[in-house]
Every structure is written in C-alpha cells, then in structure tokens.
Amino acid sequence: MINPHKLGVHKLLKHIPLNAIFDAPAKARLRKAVNIADLRLCAKQRAHKMVFDYLDAGADDEISLRRGKDAYSELEMHFHILSGLKPPLDLSTKIFGQDVKLPFFGCPTAGNRMFHWEGETAAARAAAHHGTLYGLSSLATTGITEIGKLCSGPKVFQLYVWKDRELVREVLARAKEGGFHAMALTVDFTWYGNRERDIRNDFSIPPKYSLNQMIEAVKKPAWTYDFLSHEPYTYACINTEVPADSLAAFVNSQIAPEFDWKDAEWLLGEWNNPSAVKGVCRPDDAIKAVETGFTTMWVSNHGARQLETSPATIDVLPSIREAVGPNVEIIMDGGVQRGTDICKALALGADSVGVGKPYLYGLAAGGTEGVIKAYDILKVELDRAMGLLGTGTVDDLKKRGPGLIKRRHSSARDYPDRYAYERGYGGGVI
C-alpha cells in the first residue's frame, strides 16, 4: 500500500521545522500539569486517538484496569509523628544489585516512537537524569546500541517467549554488549489480550490511512507532523531493516505459547546474569521461579491488558513476599498513579516499583520533558508520603511498612469526584 513514508514525504518534511509551532500548545499544557492524571489529559490532547487508546486501555471490560487503581485506595497509611525527618529524603536503593537514586523506574514498553518521535531515547534520558533503572523492550523502536550510548546507568532488557532460539541468543548477546545488567522474561504474553478499544479504532502500526484515521490525524497536528516528518518505525532490537508493519506478522508467529519451565531454564543458562520473571501473580509460581533460578520476581499483570479480572498486583504482593522470603528481590508494577501508591508497594513487600502508563503519558504529552516531569511528580509525591509516614529511607519503609499500611473496606466516599473517569481514574464514578 502506498503511504506517505513510502513516497518519501518524511525526507521533505524533516527540513521544514514546524514541530515547535504545532507543539506549542502541548508544551503549555505540560507546564501546567501537576499530577499524573493531568499528564494523561495532556497525552490525550496531543496523541492520535488510536495511539492514546492503545496506551490507555486494558483488556475486555477493563475491570482489572479499574481494580488495579482502586486497590490502592483501600490501603490506609497509619503514620508516625515527630520522626525528626526533613526533606529531601534519601530515596536511593538497589535494583538488580545496582545502585539507583529512586526506588521506581519506567517499565520496558513496546513501540515508544508511536507516542512521540523521541521514543525510547526520551525514557532513557529521563532515567539517566534521575539516576534510576532503564528498561528496554525487545519490541522497542530504538536499538540497543543507541540506548547504551544514552544511558550508562543500570539497565534491564525485556524479552518475550520467542520460538526461535537463535533469535534469542542473538538478542541476548547484543544486550550484554550494550551494557544491560539484567534480563526480564515476560511470561504473561503467550496470548494477545483482547483490547477492544484497539479493535474499534482499527489500530495498526503504521496507520491504515482510513478516512476515520485521517480525520483523527487532522485533529492532532503535533502528533501527525511528528509521525510524517520522521523515519518509519522499526522494531530495532530485532531487525532494523524490516518496518514495524511487516514485522508484526513475524512477531506474532514467534510468540511461543508452549514455552514452559524447562525452556526458562535454558534461557537462564544462556543469560547467566541477574534475571526476573515478569508476570508473577501467584505465590506457588513465585516459589517455582526461585527454584528454576530466577533472581527476581516481577509481580505484574501486564498493565491489566491481558487476562481480564486478573488480580490487582498490590493485593497479591504480600503473599508473594511471604512465599519467597525476605531475601528474594521483588519488583511490582500495576495501577500506580501516585507517589503514595509507590510508598504502599514498598511497604508491603516490593523492593522497587515499575511504572508504565505514567511515564508513557508524559512521553505522549511532551517527549523527554514529559517523561522527566512524570518522574519529578512521582518523586516529590513519594518523598512527601515517606516523610509524613515517618520513614526516612527506603530500607526503613520496607522494614516497618507492614505495620504502617492497613486495609479498609472501600466506600463511595473514597471516590467523591464524578469527573474522576474523565481524568483517567477508573473507580467510583457517581
């Protein structure tokens, strides 16, 4: 199919610097954002509808997506007073054995250039700026070498359950050469989740240039000019020569639903470095993963984008900590919208917390500046929450956390704002 990139339109437009003009309103909105919900609205106003809904959506009826956010509201913070603390607190910790300045980081996510032309480089720069872990997806639109040059700090490379073992060996070798300290195997993606917003929007990479998609593109000139004035996307960690639209069929054919624990053992033998199993929601699976040789349990339900009515990760976290004991590293992601959410996860058993949607909202809203702002927001909120709770360090929070966080039954009073849904908060719409 003929499209603007095949006609070489991007080669012409890249010499016409109109990005600043189209992006001026987006930058003004970004400056006014005070929380992650604001960043979500900024992203919604700048990004193509198809792209925003891909980022924002969950599976099926999005029950797990809403529950993942609501679950934090059911956890109260029973704070100590007169703790003798003053800001800023020491938020440093270790992730995969590497020193970091923040106990949270951006999860590896596919196709970042879809949201903003800077793509993964924006997230890498933000991670370097804040001194935290960077996570690169094997379906990234920026290559391993380029990320390695931008981000010299701790890095984790995310891998799917591929059929082709030679492909796996090749990608892992490049990750090692690129300075990646750890590998995370995503195990909850053996089937593709039913994301009905994508179906309704006829989501595709690149766009299909249907009448509806072109109308939506006209509505979002900043995103559209970005897309048309830059090179087409490729899945750069796998094959930079094949465009993302052609490679999609290859990716689908390479996912191995039959991948099992024996295959995981083989993979760990190929890597021989710190490794996480990403997608743990059950204590028995966590125990099996430790026995298999994984060094880190990554509690995740894939952002509520896979199995509908899967549990909120914050709800299963304590049981997984109890199952594996105090010495096994645990990362948790899912539903995080506030620094208080990160604080609660650290208190209930996580050693660090991954965030996905929050930093991608920042990326879609304003590239590097937007991702840095997302981290800034969460850092300030976490610092405040820990200080008011009476815990001065991450280690102190983890040690005393179970006695500081208590569950209560939710009620309509937890969600008094009738416009919460419009701001991206899933629960308690009245």
Side-chain angles (χ1 to χ4, degrees), residues 8 31 41 47 66 80 120 162 263 269 279 285 313 322 393 418:
R31 286 192 294 270
L41 292 179
R66 294 191 294 274
H80 282 288
E120 289 82 4
W162 301 119
D263 295 310
D285 279 341
T313 51
E322 182 180 4
T393 66
R418 64 177 298 184

Side-chain angles (χ1 to χ4, degrees), residues 165 258-269 288 292:
R165 291 195 171 189
E258 69 276 12
F259 195 99
D260 61 16
W261 290 107
K262 290 184 179 179
D263 295 310
E265 287 181 13
W266 170 84
L267 178 65
L268 292 176
K288 179 69 172 177
T292 301

Side-chain angles (χ1 to χ4, degrees), residues 268-288:
L268 292 176
E270 293 294 317
W271 179 247
N272 289 316
N273 280 307
S275 56
V277 56
K278 183 177 182 293
V280 177
C281 273
R282 295 177 55 94
D284 52 356
D285 279 341
I287 293 171
K288 179 69 172 177

Side-chain angles (χ1 to χ4, degrees), residues 108-123:
T109 53
N112 284 188
R113 283 188 56 211
M114 180 193 335
F115 309 115
H116 190 280
W117 71 269
E118 292 181 81
E120 289 82 4
T121 65

